[in-house]
Amino acid sequence: MPIAAPLAASAHAAALPLPAGIGMRAPHHGALLEQQPPVGWLEIHAESYMGGGASLHYLDQARQHWPIAVHGTGLGLGGAEPPNAAHLERLAALVARIEPFLVSEHLAWTGIDGRYYNDQLPLPYTDETLEHTSRNIAAAMHRLRRPILIENPATYLRYSESHMSEVDFLTRLVENTGCGLLCDISNIYVSSFNHIGAGAAYAVAEAYLEALPRQAVQQLHLAGYSESDADGDAILIDDHGTMIAEPVWRLYRHAVQLFPEAQTLIEWDSNIPPLSALVAEAALADQHRADSLGSVEEPADEQAA
């Protein structure tokens, strides 16, 4: 029995996938509105728009041209404590104002005892963690009056206490709460590389994708990563600051076959390039999607026939 019965899908949700979207970031606010590039939608980080001011002014204008998705980074739904009530109220007010077609949050904890950190911290995958994470997701969905999507993390270490896989944990969250999933393709590859090594990373990442509950995956994230050294071992850092790498594009082509109705987003959060670079990557994602699904538009006269 779910802790909270699944809520009805938002009236703003797109039934079919839009062309790929991009993150709406402050350096591009003016250019977005001036150029109005041909991207399918925009995603915002909720915390960047909760304080009003110029950012919210630009967002109010942008939502006249594109569907908007809200991606939260501060609820800390994986924490042992309930989400901060004031933060949740601010998020609810933003959601009510802009009426996004998707709302998402991270599978992470962000603070304890009133102290909060600017990090998405990983969870042990245990029954106890599952219970309080489910409760927190249910509470957030109840306040927001809509389902939310939960994003899989990029991880660098694993808890010895974990006794279920990340995919099993996510699947049980879906069963417990009726939430959906935001499948971050880059995070899956980064985590697989860091935990298994380069040789088996792709196969492990592909198996992860195939094990996800397909009906729950409603959004896909694509981003770049950097390589670093950890005591002589190569690790990948999910920095959202480089072009998307070929292993991630390859996983994406497989993902769109598994989740053909999921929306796709290009993420840049550091070393942010000109807007044209994001638009080009969104177009490339659309091309990868079309190639993977073998979609060929029929001529108008054949459709009429």
Side-chain angles (χ1 to χ4, degrees):
M1 178 78 64
I3 289 176
L7 303 179
S10 168
H12 307 281
L16 296 174
L18 298 163
I22 62 174
M24 184 176 176
R25 303 296 182 255
H28 299 147
H29 280 170
L32 269 171
L33 295 171
E34 292 169 8
Q35 300 172 22
Q36 295 184 27
V39 296
W41 55 288
L42 304 177
E43 182 182 80
I44 66 165
H45 285 166
E47 288 74 11
S48 298
Y49 296 85
M50 287 180 177
S55 293
L56 193 56
H57 170 73
Y58 284 114
L59 177 57
D60 283 336
Q61 295 181 68
R63 65 187 290 263
Q64 305 304 316
H65 302 286
W66 294 279
I68 304 293
V70 169
H71 187 49
T73 63
L75 277 182
L77 295 174
E81 301 170 349
N84 179 275
H87 188 94
L88 182 55
E89 286 301 315
R90 288 192 292 269
L91 177 60
L94 180 68
V95 167
R97 175 173 179 150
I98 67 172
E99 300 181 298
F101 78 103
L102 291 172
V103 178
S104 59
E105 252 289 354
H106 293 84
L107 179 63
W109 64 280
T110 56
I112 190 169
D113 293 334
R115 297 186 179 186
Y116 299 95
Y117 307 97
N118 190 30
D119 289 294
Q120 304 296 327
L121 301 168
L123 311 177
Y125 297 133
T126 66
D127 290 330
E128 181 181 3
T129 309
L130 179 67
E131 181 179 357
H132 64 241
T133 305
S134 297
R135 186 184 308 112
N136 290 344
I137 291 172
M141 295 200 308
H142 179 77
R143 177 61 190 90
L144 298 176
R145 303 185 60 80
R146 61 167 67 210
I148 63 174
L149 311 182
I150 301 301
E151 179 182 0
N152 58 286
T155 56
Y156 308 92
L157 298 171
R158 289 182 286 195
Y159 286 92
S160 59
E161 293 87 351
S162 295
H163 61 254
M164 68 182 86
S165 71
E166 187 171 283
V167 169
D168 287 343
F169 192 90
L170 289 166
T171 299
R172 291 178 66 180
L173 284 177
V174 171
E175 294 169 349
N176 285 356
T177 69
C179 70
L181 297 178
L182 191 172
C183 176
D184 191 308
I185 307 294
S186 308
N187 286 356
I188 293 172
Y189 184 73
V190 165
S191 297
S192 298
F193 184 104
N194 291 340
H195 299 315
I196 306 299
Y202 184 84
V204 170
E206 189 175 59
Y208 182 115
L209 278 177
E210 292 174 352
L212 288 169
R214 298 190 184 187
Q215 76 286 354
V217 177
Q218 299 176 37
Q219 187 178 340
L220 306 173
H221 271 183
L222 296 167
Y225 56 75
S226 61
E227 186 169 325
S228 187
D229 177 85
D231 298 325
D233 294 324
I235 62 168
L236 301 183
I237 305 297
D238 175 46
D239 63 0
H240 298 185
T242 59
M243 301 289 286
I244 297 163
E246 177 51 34
V248 175
W249 282 125
R250 184 181 169 196
L251 278 174
Y252 176 66
R253 292 191 291 271
H254 188 53
V256 297
Q257 295 176 345
L258 297 171
F259 321 116
E261 296 186 358
Q263 311 287 351
T264 298
L265 183 90
I266 304 298
E267 283 195 298
W268 281 80
D269 292 306
S270 63
N271 303 320
I272 296 177
L275 177 60
S276 58
L278 277 68
V279 174
E281 281 201 310
L284 183 55
D286 290 336
Q287 187 60 59
H288 279 297
R289 177 186 175 80
D291 291 346
S292 184
L293 296 178
S295 68
V296 178
E297 184 173 315
E298 295 179 352
D301 58 343
E302 291 184 16
Q303 293 179 9

